Amino acid sequence: MIEQARRIIAQAGRVVSFSGAGLSAESGIPTFRDAQTGGLWEKHDPMRLASPQGFAADPQLVSEWYAHRRRAIAEAQPNGAHLALSRRSNMIHVTQNVDDLLHRAGTEHVIQLHGTIAHDRCNGDCGFREAVDMTDPPALRSCPQCGDQLRPAVVWFGEALPSDAWEEAERVCSECEVLLVIGTSAAVYPAAGLIGLAKSAGAKIIIVNTQSSDASSLADVELLGKASEVVPALLDDPSTIS
Ligand code: BV8
Ligand code: ZN
């Protein structure tokens, strides 16, 4: 299987990666699914916390949850999969992850569909935005520009994706020859729709996941294994470097 995947990548010019929480799982960042089955916040539904309604109902709780995640991300290190992707300067990386591990691995061309947890922005529409210290994340605070509340610059459930990131992701996924899908349950939309878009545009779909997912039926090759092992084995092999 991995030989077949290497051949497909070796023959391709335009290779795009599409990733989810499974890419960062081995760096110690719990996936959304794991978040529902383990750890401090297990009694809170992540999709409830990651929503405008959740923030309106209890902004203190939501900002503490993001502070908790920011500290965990600051303590984490990019794993073998992030580093292997960063060594592919001719690849474009579309991710659902709000963590900064791809960037910290030195990866260029990262499109974050669901925003970044490393910034705060105004919850109103005055446009204020600033980077936060992830090792010492700020508590709930007001916007210095308009006095509304500041919130993480991530896309919450029920909110639209940033149009520039979405349009660029649609373009690169409809023009790629190979879409390397890493560590996603492919259950959140419109992001998951990019896999079908690439497939219908003629791309080969290679999936890396520890188990089958909603995207399995679209796979040309499905490699069941850990991202930090399979992705380097796939991309670092000289036969795939065109
Ligand atoms: C919107 C940021 C409308 C916040 C996130 C169509 C059909 C059904 C529902 C909808 C639909 N269209 C819209 C919806 C509603 C909703 C949605 O999709 N709901 C789902 C749950 C059914 N979508 C939205 O609300 C979107 N907005 O539609 O707005 C609109 C439009 C115009 C104008 C106004 C409004 C916004 C969605 C984005 C929400 N924000 N994150 C934060 O992080 O705090 S989503 C968040 O959850 C992540 O970003 C990611 O996208 C998702 C989690 O999925 P994964 O990353 O795949 O992680 P998961 O835990 O699920 O799975 C991990 C996978 O890794 C597993 O497969 C596992 O096997 C694998 N794995 C684990 N370990 C490893 C591994 N693989 C390899 N190696 C390992 N070691
Ligand atoms: Zn403001």
Side-chain angles (χ1 to χ4, degrees), residues 2 51 54 147 160 208 235:
I2 201 153
S51 71
V208 177
L235 297 182

Side-chain angles (χ1 to χ4, degrees), residues 21 26 32-33 66 69 96 114 155 158-159 184-185 189 209:
E26 295 163 80
F32 264 65
R33 279 150 194 270
Y66 280 97
R69 291 173 63 188
Q96 299 165 80
H114 295 162
V155 178
E159 292 185 327
T184 184
S185 58
Y189 287 78
N209 196 311

Side-chain angles (χ1 to χ4, degrees), residues 55 120-130 139-151:
F55 187 64
D120 264 354
R121 72 167 178 85
C122 180
N123 197 38
D125 45 20
C126 83
F128 178 83
R129 184 190 177 103
E130 69 174 9
L140 183 63
R141 59 202 172 126
S142 303
C143 171
Q145 213 161 264
C146 75
D148 199 321
Q149 284 169 321
L150 292 187
R151 36 84 51 102

Side-chain angles (χ1 to χ4, degrees), residues 107-124:
T107 314
E108 294 151 43
H109 308 141
V110 179
I111 301 171
Q112 287 191 285
L113 291 175
H114 295 162
T116 171
I117 203 172
H119 287 189
D120 264 354
R121 72 167 178 85
C122 180
N123 197 38

